[in-house]
Amino acid sequence: MLDHSDFADTDIPYDIMLPEDHSIQEDEREEAKEWVLAVSMDQRVQQVLNTDERGCYEASLINIHTSVTSPQCILSGYPVLRGEVVFRNSSRVANKDDWNVYVMATNIIFKMR
């Protein structure tokens, strides 16, 4: 049984169905398990979730204090709290900073061709 108390004030689901088969090779799975164990034992790693200006876990779409749901950025999956880019003929939005990084990266890739 896993302790989910660290995620109590987030919208991270904890009652989910896990696939029966692994999606990665055994050696990759072992490497990931070793990394998780090493990080969890490292005293220098601060074991808290980052919060935003709402006082919520930074990736939570639902504000735990007001129950207001923020729109989800189509690029990062994070909530769009301010500085949004709205796409016409769609209900989708993006964080302006994430959008600018995406556009710059796309421009660089096309210029390299």
Side-chain angles (χ1 to χ4, degrees):
M1 188 68 151
L2 294 174
D3 177 15
H4 298 284
S5 60
D6 291 339
F7 305 109
D9 291 334
T10 72
D11 56 359
I12 297 173
Y14 58 88
D15 188 19
I16 58 173
M17 296 292 297
L18 296 175
E20 291 183 26
D21 298 323
H22 298 292
S23 59
I24 60 175
Q25 299 296 320
E26 183 66 27
D27 59 333
E28 294 172 309
R29 198 168 134 248
E30 282 302 315
E31 182 180 344
K33 283 172 47 178
E34 289 175 17
W35 180 85
V36 168
L37 181 59
V39 168
S40 67
M41 300 303 288
D42 188 342
Q43 298 298 314
R44 297 171 294 172
V45 174
Q46 195 174 20
Q47 301 208 359
V48 295
L49 297 172
N50 293 334
T51 56
D52 59 20
E53 64 264 22
R54 303 171 298 169
C56 304
Y57 168 55
E58 65 184 358
S60 285
L61 298 177
I62 301 170
N63 184 322
I64 59 168
H65 308 293
T66 64
S67 299
V68 172
T69 301
S70 297
Q72 184 178 32
C73 176
I74 63 169
L75 295 170
S76 68
Y78 275 62
V80 176
L81 302 175
R82 60 188 143 33
E84 67 183 30
V85 175
V86 180
F87 298 92
R88 282 184 267 162
N89 301 324
S90 169
S91 61
R92 305 212 185 247
V93 295
N95 283 310
K96 188 172 185 172
D97 291 342
D98 294 328
W99 179 252
N100 289 339
V101 168
Y102 173 77
V103 169
M104 286 191 322
T106 303
N107 286 336
I108 290 170
I109 290 170
F110 282 116
K111 286 178 183 177
M112 292 173 54
R113 290 183 179 183

